[in-house]
Amino acid sequence: EVQLVQSGAEVKKPGESLKISCKGSGYSFTTYWIGWVRQMPGKGLEWMGVIYPDDSDTRYSPSFEGQVTFSADKSINTAYLQLSSLKASDTALYYCARPYLQGSFRDAFNIWGQGTMVTVSS
Amino acid sequence: EIVLTQSPGTLSLSPGERATLSCRASQRISSSYLAWYQQNPGQAPRLLIYATFSRATGIPDRFSGSGSGTDFNLTVSRLEPEDFGVYYCQQYGGSPPWTFGQGTKVEIK
């Protein structure tokens, strides 16, 4: 079964950093882009960007560039989303997702992780 | 950045009725690059339609997509109880970033 499994919920204080993981299984992890999507409480979906695990090529949305960092460790089939200098406004559900097509990020996401809830509060 | 505007914000319908959801883009999108997702409470989004017309694996044929240029629609021919939720369109044409619409909630009347 193709699946993405994300790390568990996190509660952080303002100014702290955080790294969320997304482990892929059941497919060739290095040949599919992995995307990250934010959903703030009660709000819609926001495309943050994508990473290609084979060579760590990245594309960031301008709305998130400089605020987040994508990385990947292909030896353990895991992608990461790093959030630094956390603010209360970073409180959200973060999803990783995989496109339909191998080797392309110009595609819809047909495989989704279960989401990681991040709460930033003093 | 392409802005997607979905309408209506909320659709109140009964099971068995037909639902038509709209997604309008701020600039022309190739039909190859428009998708629809369903999200139920507490769940991750689920891909329904990609490339405007194509149903994702396992999606029943009561879901259909249509449109071109800047205007796209998702139609659910006969609403089942599990179809009530929030629907999002997404474009992935042109240059990144890809964008989502703000969502349409389909609720039980």
Side-chain angles (χ1 to χ4, degrees), chain A residues 37 39 43-47 61-63 95 100 105-110 112-113, chain B residues 33 35 37 39 43-45 47 50 56-57 88 90 92-94 96-98 100:
Chain A
V37 175
Q39 187 167 37
K43 302 298 184 184
L45 305 172
E46 300 175 89
W47 189 88
S61 167
S63 298
Y95 291 103
Y100 232 134
F105 65 86
R106 188 183 294 283
D107 195 14
F109 292 131
N110 76 317
W112 290 72
Chain B
Y33 305 129
Y37 300 84
Q39 188 178 33
Q43 296 184 17
L47 178 66
Y50 64 96
T57 303
Y88 295 95
Q90 182 206 12
Y92 43 102
W98 311 152
F100 293 91

Side-chain angles (χ1 to χ4, degrees), chain B residues 19-58:
Chain B
T20 302
L21 288 65
S22 172
C23 176
R24 176 164 287 178
S26 60
Q27 55 187 275
R28 187 184 180 282
I29 301 170
S30 165
S31 296
S32 299
Y33 305 129
L34 193 287
W36 290 92
Y37 300 84
Q38 176 194 55
Q39 188 178 33
N40 290 330
Q43 296 184 17
R46 176 175 70 145
L47 178 66
L48 300 174
I49 301 286
Y50 64 96
T52 299
F53 308 101
S54 300
R55 275 187 299 278
T57 303

Side-chain angles (χ1 to χ4, degrees), chain A residues 33-113:
Chain A
W33 290 77
I34 290 285
W36 290 95
V37 175
R38 183 176 79 173
Q39 187 167 37
M40 299 177 76
K43 302 298 184 184
L45 305 172
E46 300 175 89
W47 189 88
M48 302 175 69
V50 290
I51 183 168
Y52 193 61
D54 191 42
D55 60 6
S56 293
D57 188 13
T58 55
R59 302 284 191 279
Y60 292 98
S61 167
S63 298
F64 292 92
E65 188 146 27
Q67 313 302 313
V68 302
T69 304
F70 306 147
S71 61
D73 185 343
K74 58 186 180 180
S75 69
I76 55 171
N77 290 357
T78 302
Y80 300 96
L81 166 64
Q82 182 167 344
L83 307 171
S84 304
S85 301
L86 287 164
K87 304 179 287 294
S89 57
D90 291 317
T91 294
L93 189 54
Y94 293 86
Y95 291 103
C96 63
R98 197 209 78 175
Y100 232 134
L101 293 174
Q102 197 168 6
S104 176
F105 65 86
R106 188 183 294 283
D107 195 14
F109 292 131
N110 76 317
I111 304 294
W112 290 72

Side-chain angles (χ1 to χ4, degrees), chain A residues 13-51:
Chain A
K13 294 188 184 323
E16 293 184 337
S17 296
L18 167 65
K19 207 170 192 179
I20 298 169
S21 67
C22 170
K23 184 174 177 63
S25 62
Y27 72 97
S28 175
F29 183 75
T30 56
T31 59
Y32 287 82
W33 290 77
I34 290 285
W36 290 95
V37 175
R38 183 176 79 173
Q39 187 167 37
M40 299 177 76
K43 302 298 184 184
L45 305 172
E46 300 175 89
W47 189 88
M48 302 175 69
V50 290
I51 183 168

